[in-house]
Amino acid sequence: MIETLIAEVRARQIFDSRGIPTVSADVELACGAKGTAAVPSGASTGKYEAHELRDSGDQFGGKGVLKAVANVNGEIAEALRGKRAERQREIDSIMIALDGSENKSHLGANAILAVSLACAKAAANAYGVPLYRYLGGINGTVMPMPMMNILNGGAHASNNMDIQEFMIVPKGARSFFETMSIGTSVYASLSKLLRDRRLPTAVGDEGGFAPDLSSDEEALELLCDAIAAAGYRPGTDVSIALDAAASEWAQVDGYRMPKSGRGFSSAQLIEYYEKLVSSYPIISIEDPLGEEDLEGFTEITKRLSGIQIVGDDLFVTNCARLMNGISQKSANAILIKPNQAGTLTETLDTIRLAQRSGYGVIVSHRSGETEDTTIADLAVAVNAGQIKTGAPARSERVAKYNRLLKIEEEMK
Ligand code: PGA
Ligand code: ZN
């Protein structure tokens, strides 16, 4: 019998890929097994996400997480010592009850999630199995198709592009290894195209290039050219996915793109996407409309049938919000970000609801990331089929891809 009782829970403040503080937690079991997890952080966050607890004050621009760290080392550690690490649902319920708020604002979703994930990792280590195997059993076998964000705009870059993410989907690949081969060669050919045009190749928060371009159409042309220059057929071997992150554009009435200043009603924005979809090999659009524009979401999901419409800010990895979306046919896929929910259990519950409802599932990083690779294992464990973890550049993004390469090797 492996002794999986929690012996110690400890947290510290570390830094994310933007140099902003975040929480890392360790869980140590009586048998000596340990798990460590670090929490990511968004820039274009959804209004209904679980609360990220920040210190405010002068230090670290008010973004310190020492209060969240103290909550782990104090209240949370005390409540979890002596509990069985593999009773994830019980562990997470204890933390939710201890927090007592609607959105984890008392202890902080950053404090709670770090412990929730570290606990699962400690249990996996105690049983001597990799995390994807611990979470998914023998049933977690599907390698996810990546959506690689190779042109960054919106809140993730200081360029003039309003659409936040232009992603490539190497859908013609027959293995994860091959998706990386295709993705990295398109990334390299895009870099060359930009240099040829004397455009900067500096990158945004998720590792994609962030040049100033004259329009979204120019960005899409550039992607198609990069795909073709790498020797692949746009739309056949490699398709395009967008994350508009349009909650960032929402006004009291309609939308205003903050960089270009262009204004749209919900209906005009839908027409705009229809035009883009008819001209370019786009297969997926995330948050095409704002998080409050449920009618718009229902309309675009109906109008662009055949295109994956993904709710990120719309659903915030929340079962109740997803349930509402399912009843209103607001989308046909969900982005899964564990820190929007705040516990592993709630994340898994949302994934299960999505899968039972025929929704696509995309496990996702945040724009502020760490070297933690939990989402790679999670994607495989639940057979999500899709992952969003940035460009094949910047180590906090590549760490997840490298983890998936190792998982594919282990599963052969
Ligand atoms: P965020 O962006 O992590 O800054 O919220 C990612 C996304 O919108 O998908
Ligand atoms: Zn998004």
Side-chain angles (χ1 to χ4, degrees), residues 18 41-45 49 156 164-165 206 243 245 286 312-313 335 337 364-368 388:
R18 285 190 278 248
S41 176
S44 61
T45 48
E49 293 192 18
H156 295 167
Q164 179 177 281
E165 302 172 20
E206 298 189 349
D243 180 3
E286 180 180 330
D312 169 15
D313 291 350
L335 205 75
K337 292 168 164 169
S364 173
H365 65 164
R366 300 306 304 248
S367 52
K388 209 177 84 152

Side-chain angles (χ1 to χ4, degrees), residues 280-339:
Y280 300 95
I282 295 167
I283 57 170
S284 177
I285 310 180
E286 180 180 330
D287 285 349
L289 300 153
E291 60 211 343
E292 313 280 11
D293 191 354
L294 291 174
E295 281 172 26
F297 261 100
T298 302
E299 181 64 17
I300 193 169
T301 303
K302 194 168 76 193
R303 292 260 289 272
L304 294 188
S305 63
I307 302 287
Q308 179 170 264
I309 302 296
V310 185
D312 169 15
D313 291 350
L314 176 69
F315 297 137
V316 291
T317 316
N318 178 295
C319 263
R321 288 190 63 87
L322 176 60
M323 206 109 70
N324 185 41
I326 291 165
S327 69
Q328 298 196 36
K329 297 189 167 60
S330 312
N332 52 37
I334 181 171
L335 205 75
I336 295 291
K337 292 168 164 169
N339 83 318

Side-chain angles (χ1 to χ4, degrees), residues 15-29:
F15 292 87
D16 72 14
S17 53
R18 285 190 278 248
I20 293 174
T22 191
V23 182
S24 169
D26 300 336
V27 169
E28 189 174 344
L29 310 185

Side-chain angles (χ1 to χ4, degrees), residues 219-233:
L220 290 161
E221 291 290 344
L222 205 52
L223 281 194
C224 290
D225 290 350
I227 293 165
Y232 300 104
R233 293 162 296 177

Side-chain angles (χ1 to χ4, degrees), residues 150-328:
I150 64 172
L151 268 181
N152 294 184
H156 295 167
S158 50
N159 61 356
N160 68 352
M161 297 206 291
D162 282 296
I163 289 184
Q164 179 177 281
E165 302 172 20
F166 293 82
M167 298 171 278
I168 49 166
V169 186
K171 64 175 194 192
R174 283 152 302 176
S175 64
F176 190 76
F177 180 91
E178 202 182 338
T179 67
M180 292 309 294
S181 163
I182 298 173
T184 50
S185 61
V186 175
Y187 186 74
S189 74
L190 179 58
S191 172
K192 182 168 185 313
L193 279 181
L194 292 170
R195 274 178 281 129
D196 289 348
R197 296 180 194 192
R198 305 208 179 288
L199 286 165
T201 52
V203 299
D205 288 356
E206 298 189 349
F209 301 111
D212 278 338
L213 300 174
S214 62
S215 64
D216 298 331
E217 285 82 352
E218 189 188 358
L220 290 161
E221 291 290 344
L222 205 52
L223 281 194
C224 290
D225 290 350
I227 293 165
Y232 300 104
R233 293 162 296 177
T236 306
D237 304 315
V238 183
S239 291
I240 294 173
L242 302 176
D243 180 3
S247 297
E248 300 288 309
W249 313 337
Q251 306 283 297
V252 182
D253 194 19
Y255 295 87
R256 180 155 300 276
M257 294 181 173
K259 294 179 177 179
S260 65
R262 282 183 295 171
F264 293 87
S265 67
S266 184
Q268 286 167 334
L269 204 45
I270 293 170
E271 272 169 39
Y272 181 63
Y273 294 121
E274 276 184 318
K275 211 174 74 200
L276 293 183
V277 164
S278 67
S279 311
Y280 300 95
I282 295 167
I283 57 170
S284 177
I285 310 180
E286 180 180 330
D287 285 349
L289 300 153
E291 60 211 343
E292 313 280 11
D293 191 354
L294 291 174
E295 281 172 26
F297 261 100
T298 302
E299 181 64 17
I300 193 169
T301 303
K302 194 168 76 193
R303 292 260 289 272
L304 294 188
S305 63
I307 302 287
Q308 179 170 264
I309 302 296
V310 185
D312 169 15
D313 291 350
L314 176 69
F315 297 137
V316 291
T317 316
N318 178 295
C319 263
R321 288 190 63 87
L322 176 60
M323 206 109 70
N324 185 41
I326 291 165
S327 69
Q328 298 196 36

